[in-house]
Amino acid sequence: MRVLLLGANGYLGRFVADRLLADPAVQLTALGRGDDADVRFDLSTGSPGALTRFLDAVHPGVVINCAGAIRGTASELARHNTVATATLCESLRRSGCRARLVQIGCAAEYGPSQHGSSIAEDAVARPGGPYGVSKLAATELVLGSGLDAIVLRVFSPTGPGTPAGSPLGRLADSLRRAMQHGDSELKLGGLGVQRDFVDVRDVARAVHAATLSAAQGVVNIGTGHAVRLREAAAALARISGFGGTLLELEGPPPLPRQATGGELPGGPPQAAPYPDGCGAWQQADVRTARDRLGWRARIGFEESLADIWMEAACRM
């Protein structure tokens, strides 16, 4: 099976590539903006005609779209997430390869949900920020394209390679700095938020399963279990060997300095809402993934946290 992977150098894409390369039945071609891609192509600015010609030449059986952006202005997010997906869908429609499309969506498309509920794929999507809006628009383009396509709505990916700017990445980095400086107290905010954290290696397994499945439409990828950031912080402290005290501040975590430009007039960086626009609670209903892909998460949250800490500790 020839597979074309877009976004192979991103956080999810790297693990998807590793998973596919471990399958001897897969011939993998990576397309992207970086120099280490097999073929250089910017999906957000490239023309559908150029990509169509490439698809007809390579003739993949499956195209996986892990490309996109999670930060930036609304226009940047729209360009990298929505316009790029429109280009891909148009190219696939024009191409004679008839490839199956596996699109990586995200739980931010759903927006806030009721505490204690599990979000199923038929829930009304009401994204709470520009990132979720741009990804939901991409999903709608895929679902309306007429292609053989599946959208995997990934909840909160974690584990090795977790970006330092993510909530768990920031927790690990805060612990690292506290231990380096010998602090006996660590003040943290925003710990009341609960998210469905799924290991990135399990996500890669789900993508692989989707390439082999005939399932179409939207499929949630999560664990089906929400974890409070307060519990994650305590577990990370235990894993790291931090002997100090965790002090929980009122309200959400502060914006990093690079997001505010440093000190604001009148005081320190201001507090910002949890960045995904999904409110205080999010948990996946994962029955569709089990029934239609034969997939469920295998890697426990503690193992994911241990891998996050291992990478943070290497920077000490």
Side-chain angles (χ1 to χ4, degrees):
M1 178 173 63
R2 186 178 294 278
V3 177
L4 176 64
L5 175 61
L6 296 91
N9 295 322
Y11 172 41
L12 293 180
R14 293 195 301 271
F15 288 91
V16 171
D18 289 344
R19 177 74 187 187
L20 294 173
L21 288 170
D23 183 346
V26 171
Q27 293 177 287
L28 183 65
T29 301
L31 185 148
R33 292 177 289 176
D35 291 335
D36 49 355
D38 295 321
V39 178
R40 292 193 65 180
F41 185 84
D42 189 338
L43 197 59
S44 65
T45 59
S47 72
L51 183 55
T52 298
R53 290 190 292 273
F54 176 75
L55 290 169
D56 286 336
V58 176
H59 217 77
V62 177
V63 175
I64 302 170
N65 185 20
C66 292
I70 59 173
R71 294 179 181 83
T73 65
S75 61
E76 289 169 340
L77 291 168
R79 183 173 73 252
H80 288 288
N81 295 331
T82 311
V83 174
T85 301
T87 296
L88 177 57
C89 289
E90 179 62 23
S91 302
L92 284 167
R93 280 196 300 266
R94 294 182 186 181
S95 172
C97 70
R98 301 293 183 265
R100 173 171 171 78
L101 173 60
V102 179
Q103 169 80 6
I104 305 303
C106 72
E109 297 174 42
Y110 288 119
S113 59
Q114 184 177 1
H115 188 276
S117 65
S118 293
I119 308 171
E121 290 84 356
D122 59 359
V124 176
R126 295 190 178 94
Y131 171 62
V133 169
S134 70
K135 291 295 287 183
L136 177 60
T139 291
E140 294 299 332
L141 284 167
V142 170
L143 297 180
S145 67
L147 299 168
D148 173 13
I150 184 171
V151 178
L152 302 182
R153 270 194 184 141
V154 178
F155 276 63
S156 298
T158 188
T162 294
S166 70
L168 294 181
R170 286 197 301 271
L171 282 175
D173 205 48
S174 296
L175 279 166
R176 176 186 62 80
R177 290 197 306 269
M179 294 175 73
Q180 279 183 312
H181 298 151
D183 297 337
S184 59
E185 292 182 346
L186 178 57
K187 297 178 180 179
L188 300 168
L191 300 185
V193 170
Q194 291 174 265
R195 289 293 179 268
D196 189 331
F197 294 105
V198 57
D199 193 280
V200 66
R201 292 160 292 193
D202 278 333
V203 175
R205 287 180 42 247
V207 174
H208 189 198
T211 67
L212 304 172
S213 168
Q216 296 183 339
V218 175
V219 177
N220 289 339
I221 302 300
T223 66
H225 177 65
V227 176
R228 196 181 302 272
L229 280 181
R230 184 181 302 118
E231 299 168 11
L236 267 173
R238 183 178 68 254
I239 290 167
S240 68
F242 177 65
T245 303
L246 299 181
L247 297 178
E248 186 171 355
L249 303 176
E250 293 282 339
L255 280 170
R257 288 185 183 274
Q258 62 266 30
T260 63
E263 297 286 328
L264 295 179
Q270 300 298 300
Y274 196 81
D276 60 5
C278 294
W281 169 274
Q282 209 176 46
Q283 178 175 283
D285 182 327
V286 294
R287 289 175 294 179
T288 302
R290 180 197 64 200
D291 296 341
R292 303 186 67 191
L293 299 181
W295 175 93
R296 65 179 176 180
R298 294 177 180 170
I299 298 174
F301 189 51
E302 290 260 343
E303 182 177 343
S304 300
L305 290 177
D307 288 327
I308 292 173
W309 175 249
M310 183 179 297
E311 293 182 348
C314 288
R315 298 193 294 272
M316 294 181 71

